[in-house]
Amino acid sequence: QGPLVESGGGLVQPGGSLRLSCRAPRMILSTFSASIMGWYRQAPGKERDLVATFTERGTPNYADSVKGRFTISRDMSRKTVYLQMNDLAPEDTAVYYCKRNYDGRDDWGQGTQVTVSS
């Protein structure tokens, strides 16, 4: 098991919602709290792009394409970061990855597939 474990992907119809989770089961709480956590996605044939992330100040930052539809949040006690995705569209179809940046190093989860289709 890697340092980050994603879940929550699946098939959803346009206009639907999904919530992705990213757990850090082996990370101590102080390290998780000091990490910059974010979500990225990669569609077939495209580069991996930022979806949402927390800044160093702990404020959320979103890609323009998801503003108003997606919300990033975190539960420190569970060492988990969430991505609530509402009003999903076919162009949101991608593999979604969780990323942790800590002490100059990036760790990635294994990815979870999100497919938006009728």
Side-chain angles (χ1 to χ4, degrees):
Q1 190 178 56
L4 301 172
V5 181
E6 298 117 330
S7 62
L11 174 63
V12 64
Q13 292 186 344
S17 298
L18 283 174
R19 188 177 79 157
L20 306 183
S21 298
C22 172
R23 296 186 299 115
R26 296 187 289 135
M27 202 178 300
I28 62 174
L29 183 57
S30 60
T31 300
F32 180 81
S33 299
S35 298
I36 298 174
M37 305 295 296
W39 288 95
Y40 292 71
R41 67 186 180 187
Q42 187 167 19
K46 295 188 177 181
E47 295 184 351
R48 191 174 298 186
D49 293 325
L50 170 71
V51 176
T53 187
F54 286 104
T55 68
E56 291 184 358
R57 296 182 179 182
T59 56
N61 183 47
Y62 298 96
D64 288 342
S65 59
V66 307
K67 283 180 180 177
R69 300 188 299 124
F70 290 12
T71 302
I72 188 171
S73 62
R74 57 190 170 186
D75 185 332
M76 293 296 189
S77 65
R78 297 178 186 267
K79 294 182 289 182
T80 300
V81 177
Y82 302 98
L83 184 68
Q84 177 67 43
M85 305 186 294
N86 298 329
D87 193 23
L88 284 161
E91 51 265 35
D92 295 315
T93 294
V95 178
Y96 284 70
Y97 296 91
C98 179
K99 189 187 88 168
R100 174 190 86 134
N101 178 268
Y102 177 74
D103 198 24
R105 167 180 165 173
D106 290 338
D107 290 310
W108 294 88
Q110 81 285 359
T112 185
Q113 176 70 47
V114 172
T115 302
V116 185
S117 175
S118 56

